[in-house]
Amino acid sequence: MATADLTIYKSKIKADGAFLKAEKMPIPINSPKDDFSFIIDLQSKTGYFSSKRDKGKGDDDMYYFSVN
């Protein structure tokens, strides 16, 4: 299986403005294909990201999610 060229990571910002080490987001956010453009609204606890994963509707597709 080929590794994706685009992968979504997360990092937290410390009080001094420095970033903690970035961590790769797990499945189902990341897939074996390209995953990118992750946006989350913490107030509504919803978000979107783009992916080129299998079974999509086109080349790159937008996916919606909600945080429990």
Side-chain angles (χ1 to χ4, degrees):
M1 182 178 299
T3 303
D5 292 326
L6 299 173
T7 303
I8 298 172
Y9 286 80
K10 70 176 181 176
S11 180
K12 293 187 178 181
I13 303 174
K14 299 190 308 185
D16 66 2
F19 286 91
L20 295 174
K21 183 178 179 183
E23 300 175 24
K24 185 176 178 180
M25 295 289 287
I27 294 171
I29 299 296
N30 278 309
S31 71
K33 303 289 184 172
D34 288 339
D35 304 294
F36 54 99
S37 299
F38 183 87
I39 299 170
I40 189 166
D41 180 341
L42 295 176
Q43 194 169 38
S44 68
K45 296 186 177 182
T46 60
Y48 297 88
F49 65 95
S50 298
S51 182
K52 191 179 280 200
R53 57 189 67 201
D54 294 335
K55 299 184 182 180
K57 300 286 183 189
D59 191 26
D60 294 326
D61 297 298
M62 297 293 299
Y63 293 87
Y64 171 84
F65 63 93
S66 59
V67 178
N68 296 329

